[in-house]
Amino acid sequence: GAWHLPSVAEFRSVATSYATIARSLNEIGAEPLGETYQTSTIDGNSGSNEQLFNYTIELPKGNIASTLKTESHPVRPFLILR
């Protein structure tokens, strides 16, 4: 697998299973989940230059917001194991 910046859809899967994932991370001593993360999903509906905006997601609710890419938001890379 390879590390990558997750999409909104991938983070929504985390939001759906938030309690289980948070408990598992705690049990292994990993960094707990934060509240808001930047995603790799570009917002093509925000203004004339879609390259300036992407979505952030709020956990555990799964709410998304369009934000400027120049704003600072935490990231949480995912590793997909197959």
Side-chain angles (χ1 to χ4, degrees):
W3 291 97
H4 69 281
L5 186 62
S7 67
V8 166
E10 290 171 306
F11 266 118
R12 283 200 168 142
S13 294
V14 170
T16 300
S17 302
Y18 183 85
T20 301
I21 293 169
R23 186 172 47 253
S24 296
L25 290 173
N26 184 54
E27 287 176 6
I28 64 170
E31 183 179 333
L33 290 170
E35 294 181 6
T36 302
Y37 288 106
Q38 185 162 329
T39 73
S40 63
T41 306
I42 294 171
D43 178 7
N45 297 316
S46 292
S48 61
N49 192 344
E50 66 187 40
Q51 298 305 313
L52 293 177
F53 294 89
N54 67 346
Y55 288 113
T56 55
I57 189 161
E58 177 189 355
L59 296 176
K61 296 177 183 177
N63 297 333
I64 62 169
S66 179
T67 58
L68 281 168
K69 290 182 180 181
T70 56
E71 291 179 17
S72 177
H73 295 282
V75 295
R76 185 91 183 210
F78 282 22
L79 175 63
I80 304 296
L81 302 174
R82 300 189 195 272

